[in-house]
Amino acid sequence: MRSEVWYNIAFTCIPSLGPITRKALIDEFKTSSNILSASIKALMKVKGVGEKMAYEIVQWNNPDKVDAEFAFIQQHQIKPLFITDKDYPQKLLECPDAPTLLFYKGNAQLNCTKILSIVGTRMPTPYGLYVIEECLKTLPKDVLIVSGLALGIDTIAHQTALQYGLPTVGVLAHGLDEIYPPPNKNLAKRMLHQGGLLTEFNCKTIPEKYNFPKRNRVVAGMADATLVVETALKGGSMISADFASQYHREVIAVPGKITDQRSRGCLKLIQENKASIFTSPNELMKQLNWINTTADLSTAQKEMIRLMQQQEIFSIDELLSISGLSIGSLYTLILELSTQQVIQELPCEKFTLMPAYYSI
């Protein structure tokens, strides 16, 4: 008797189905086995499924391909992650074109609370390498670093994560039976013990050019933010940044010299307000709410934060009442907290805490 995993693989082997149509079919029929046993009439009731596509689903018959993939993942202890599985990267579910099935080998938690993708040029400068090292040696050890295992910035991101004890996952544009590029085979093996490898492609899938944008959408979609370290105006890093923006993720770009081709993409993202500026690891962590942002605040400032957590917006009179401060002391405190971007001034002399400070 064939397992549901077998049917999940079979379902994703039907060539004419894209991720959006697959998602609609899953919403309607719940399981792959139900989809593959459904009638043409029932299939055509699903939005996006016409008669031709319904016939293709019903008539699809390539069990040898499915058997080979099923045997491969069992032999190599690869975990299949179907889009309805609890271990499937949950952030990807927010993306309309999320892969229906992923293959994963490793020990990192793909649903940890802090995930940062790092992308950039294949020909980094010493400046790019410096930024990555300064960033990753500062980040908390529970941050998962995601990249694409390409040469250049991707490789440096994975290597530096391993060096500083952070888990790191490489998203591949091919099957797990090979590693591309070949110089990263040893790196990939090390990542299996402190991270992992993830792909939506079956074994025997080679790294064709059109697979890389698909890979890039996963790199962007499974993370809280994408850090673009160095990139030209065109290329995979800009595609990843565009996906991250479409998915309403944070995009953070490292500024560089206007004369450096490898900084022009970052500068363009910043200029067009598609990315915020990377200035330091601490600022990045504050932006993503990843650190206790009260560490450098005075006792009076911390007390004001505690008081302002009680409601969303306060007037000056309300702040005077709850704080017991004089008007002069209150204005001094407000100025300090505004300068440190702890509170924000609203129209009509009203104030609110920045979102990062409601949960500390």
Side-chain angles (χ1 to χ4, degrees):
M1 183 176 178
R2 290 168 174 167
S3 69
E4 194 61 37
V5 172
W6 192 97
Y7 285 106
N8 289 341
I9 296 170
F11 176 47
T12 56
C13 284
I14 301 173
S16 67
L17 298 180
I20 294 175
T21 304
R22 289 188 193 131
K23 180 66 165 55
L25 286 162
I26 294 163
D27 288 343
E28 176 66 26
F29 292 100
K30 308 308 178 188
T31 68
S32 296
S33 55
N34 287 343
I35 295 167
L36 293 174
S37 62
S39 67
I40 290 174
K41 183 178 180 181
L43 290 168
M44 288 179 61
K45 292 180 180 179
V46 176
K47 183 178 180 180
V49 179
E51 185 175 7
K52 182 179 179 182
M53 186 178 291
Y55 268 102
E56 185 173 350
I57 295 170
V58 170
Q59 295 174 351
W60 185 87
N61 186 26
N62 193 352
D64 291 345
K65 181 176 181 179
V66 182
D67 288 341
E69 187 69 29
F70 189 74
F72 175 77
I73 65 173
Q74 287 190 313
Q75 179 184 351
H76 296 280
Q77 297 179 313
I78 293 167
K79 186 172 185 178
L81 300 172
F82 198 62
I83 197 168
T84 56
D85 293 343
K86 63 179 178 62
D87 291 334
Y88 183 94
Q90 296 299 295
K91 290 183 176 68
L92 277 177
L93 296 180
E94 302 167 11
C95 309
D97 55 352
T100 309
L101 179 64
L102 292 165
F103 300 100
Y104 179 56
K105 187 173 177 64
N107 60 10
Q109 169 56 256
L110 300 180
N111 285 306
C112 61
T113 57
K114 305 180 185 75
I115 305 178
L116 177 67
S117 290
I118 299 178
V119 299
T121 178
R122 284 172 170 76
M123 296 179 290
T125 68
Y127 170 63
L129 275 57
Y130 166 81
V131 169
I132 291 176
E133 179 162 13
E134 288 300 303
C135 186
L136 297 196
K137 75 180 184 182
T138 306
L139 290 178
K141 296 299 184 283
D142 60 344
V143 176
L144 173 63
I145 302 301
V146 176
S147 198
L149 202 69
L151 296 177
I153 291 295
D154 290 21
T155 295
I156 299 302
H158 293 308
Q159 290 174 335
T160 308
L162 293 176
Q163 177 184 348
Y164 289 104
L166 282 74
T168 182
V169 167
V171 184
L172 309 180
H174 52 82
L176 283 171
D177 53 322
E178 291 290 340
I179 294 297
Y180 179 86
N184 277 347
K185 286 185 177 180
N186 287 335
L187 173 60
K189 289 179 182 178
R190 291 169 59 204
M191 290 167 62
L192 293 176
H193 302 288
Q194 190 181 308
L197 302 174
L198 184 71
T199 185
E200 65 180 295
F201 298 102
N202 297 340
C203 68
K204 307 300 182 185
T205 302
I206 62 175
E208 299 277 7
K209 183 177 180 179
Y210 51 77
N211 289 347
F212 287 91
K214 294 180 180 179
R215 184 273 306 274
N216 294 342
R217 87 188 194 284
V218 176
V219 170
M222 67 182 291
D224 300 288
T226 294
L227 176 64
V228 187
V229 179
E230 291 182 306
T231 182
L233 289 171
K234 293 183 179 180
S237 302
M238 294 296 279
I239 293 173
S240 296
D242 187 53
F243 275 123
S245 180
Q246 290 178 39
Y247 298 150
H248 306 291
R249 304 291 195 266
E250 295 284 348
V251 181
I252 304 162
V254 177
K257 296 178 181 179
I258 61 173
T259 54
D260 191 339
Q261 294 284 350
R262 285 162 288 194
S263 286
R264 290 189 174 178
C266 291
L267 295 174
K268 183 178 176 65
L269 290 169
I270 295 167
Q271 180 187 33
E272 296 182 348
N273 294 319
K274 292 182 178 178
S276 58
I277 300 176
F278 176 87
T279 56
S280 73
N282 283 333
E283 288 303 315
L284 179 146
M285 288 188 285
K286 285 183 182 179
Q287 182 177 347
L288 299 175
N289 302 335
W290 284 357
I291 59 173
N292 183 348
T293 47
T294 65
D296 299 324
L297 299 178
S298 69
T299 301
Q301 291 169 339
K302 291 178 182 178
E303 176 61 17
M304 180 57 72
I305 291 172
R306 186 187 68 78
L307 293 172
M308 292 186 69
Q309 288 174 336
Q310 298 173 22
Q311 66 187 55
E312 187 175 352
I313 297 173
F314 286 88
S315 66
I316 280 290
D317 288 342
E318 288 172 326
L319 291 175
L320 280 170
S321 175
I322 66 170
S323 68
L325 296 171
S326 68
I327 188 69
S329 297
L330 178 61
Y331 272 115
T332 298
L333 194 55
I334 286 173
L335 179 61
E336 293 171 353
L337 292 173
S338 296
T339 302
Q340 293 171 274
Q341 297 183 320
V342 175
I343 66 174
Q344 178 183 5
E345 184 172 1
L346 304 174
C348 303
E349 212 172 26
K350 293 186 177 181
F351 300 87
T352 187
L353 275 179
M354 296 297 284
Y357 293 85
Y358 275 102
S359 59
I360 58 176

